[in-house]
Amino acid sequence: MMNKKPLLLLYRLAKIREDQAMARARIASSKVNQTIEMKNQVLEYAKDYEKQMMESGTESLSVAFLQDANAFREKLIHSSIQLEGEIQGLTRSSEGTLKNAMQARMRTLGLGKLVNKIKHQERVTEVKKELNEFEESYIGRMKIKTGTKDA
């Protein structure tokens, strides 16, 4: 039978590593979501500026103001394009992190099954041992002549 203590130690270590990998995956996923949110917000700002420019076309505003507003809108759009590249990089990184976390999870599951199997075998052995002791005790009592003989 396999020694249980080193296996339990490996299982605990695998569980810790799994928890750490899952935490890293959650953080990476959160960064991707935050960046996507930021990109969408930047695009909304750009749409708002465009809308304001269109509405101000009917009013008499200076050309310089319109040019500045348009330049800022274009900077926002350019920023969203840069964020898209960042999102792609973060997504790839997040996928790799999630893959590592899943591998750690599989290792933990495998070790967990092995630990459970060993614990089950120990319980079965203990039950058999107790049953044998009970049988030996019972048989021992049956063989001993107890009581008094007829006088």
Side-chain angles (χ1 to χ4, degrees):
M1 188 185 321
M2 199 174 194
N3 193 354
K4 185 173 82 168
K5 285 186 180 183
L7 189 62
L8 286 174
L9 185 62
L10 280 175
Y11 176 71
R12 286 188 202 130
L13 183 62
K15 187 68 175 154
I16 290 169
R17 286 184 179 163
E18 175 195 350
D19 292 343
Q20 290 172 341
M22 288 296 185
R24 283 191 297 274
R26 278 191 298 275
I27 290 170
S29 177
S30 174
K31 284 182 183 178
V32 170
N33 291 336
Q34 287 174 348
T35 307
I36 289 172
E37 233 177 84
M38 183 184 289
K39 177 191 162 226
N40 291 337
Q41 193 173 25
V42 166
L43 286 175
E44 283 298 316
Y45 288 149
K47 286 178 187 177
D48 287 345
Y49 269 90
E50 185 176 0
K51 183 179 175 185
Q52 288 177 1
M53 286 174 34
M54 292 299 181
E55 290 173 356
S56 66
T58 58
E59 301 171 9
S60 60
L61 292 176
S62 70
V63 174
F65 175 76
L66 289 174
Q67 288 175 341
D68 287 346
N70 189 42
F72 186 68
R73 182 186 69 84
E74 287 182 14
K75 285 182 180 180
L76 287 173
I77 291 172
H78 181 68
S79 175
S80 74
I81 291 170
Q82 288 177 338
L83 284 173
E84 184 63 37
E86 188 176 329
I87 289 169
Q88 290 175 356
L90 285 172
T91 301
R92 281 191 297 273
S93 173
S94 176
E95 288 170 354
T97 305
L98 184 60
K99 181 182 174 185
N100 290 341
M102 292 308 298
Q103 287 174 346
R105 177 76 178 135
M106 292 295 124
R107 280 191 295 273
T108 303
L109 286 175
L111 284 171
K113 286 179 182 179
L114 191 56
V115 166
N116 289 337
K117 182 179 177 181
I118 289 174
K119 285 181 179 180
H120 177 72
Q121 288 173 346
E122 286 178 346
R123 281 191 299 263
V124 167
T125 304
E126 187 65 29
V127 167
K128 285 181 181 178
K129 181 180 171 185
E130 288 175 3
L131 203 75
N132 285 340
E133 288 176 6
F134 177 74
E135 286 177 357
E136 288 174 4
S137 174
Y138 184 73
I139 291 172
R141 287 186 186 153
M142 295 299 285
K143 289 183 177 179
I144 297 176
K145 297 182 180 179
T146 59
T148 58
K149 291 186 179 179
D150 289 336

